[in-house]
């Protein structure tokens, strides 16, 4: 499964997960407000917040995704989403020295 996800991440421009951020009847308004507040408090960068796109209808969501222009953030460009690299970083040395 993780190998398949890695291939998807490496070949995709965007993902829509339904209901995901298909914000029907304002279901995700509280989450979106929370994220906006996190930006105001400088806990989340504006460019990171812009990654999360929402719309009330599937047609609007597709339009929003097609017109999306990412904001370049130097801190985001240092992230490595490779499954192989993440596995290397997750290995811990749990040996004890007495």
């Amino acid at each position: 499964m993780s190998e398949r996800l890695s291939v998807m991440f490496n070949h995709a421009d965007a993902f829509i997960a339904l209901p995901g951020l298909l914000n029907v009847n304002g279901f995700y308004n509280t989450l979106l407000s929370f994220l906006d507040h996190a930006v105001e408090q400088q806990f989340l960068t504006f460019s990171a917040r812009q990654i999360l796109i929402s719309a009330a209808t599937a047609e609007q969501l597709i339009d929003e995704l097609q017109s999306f222009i990412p904001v370049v953030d130097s801190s985001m460009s240092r992230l490595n989403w490779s499954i192989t690299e993440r596995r290397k970083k997750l290995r811990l040395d749990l040996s004890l020295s007495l």
Side-chain angles (χ1 to χ4, degrees):
M1 177 74 158
S2 63
E3 186 176 319
R4 186 173 65 178
L5 286 175
S6 179
V7 170
M8 285 173 35
F9 286 139
N10 290 332
H11 290 90
D13 293 323
F15 296 95
I16 298 177
L18 298 176
L21 290 178
L22 183 58
N23 195 15
V24 176
N25 295 326
F27 184 82
Y28 291 106
N29 285 352
T30 305
L31 172 63
L32 297 170
S33 294
F34 168 75
L35 294 172
D36 292 337
H37 179 70
V39 171
E40 291 169 11
Q41 298 299 311
Q42 298 179 346
F43 185 76
L44 183 66
T45 65
F46 175 76
S47 59
R49 168 63 182 92
Q50 295 306 105
I51 292 171
L52 198 59
I53 298 170
S54 66
T57 68
E59 292 83 11
Q60 290 171 339
L61 186 56
I62 291 169
D63 289 343
E64 290 288 328
L65 286 169
Q66 288 176 335
S67 64
F68 177 72
I69 300 172
V71 177
V72 177
D73 181 342
S74 61
S75 64
M76 296 296 282
S77 66
R78 292 189 304 262
L79 296 176
N80 184 340
W81 296 98
S82 165
I83 298 293
T84 305
E85 290 300 315
R86 283 191 299 174
R87 283 189 182 142
K88 288 179 187 175
K89 292 177 185 176
L90 291 176
R91 294 189 182 160
L92 299 175
D93 181 7
L94 300 175
S95 59
L96 293 174
S97 299
L98 299 177

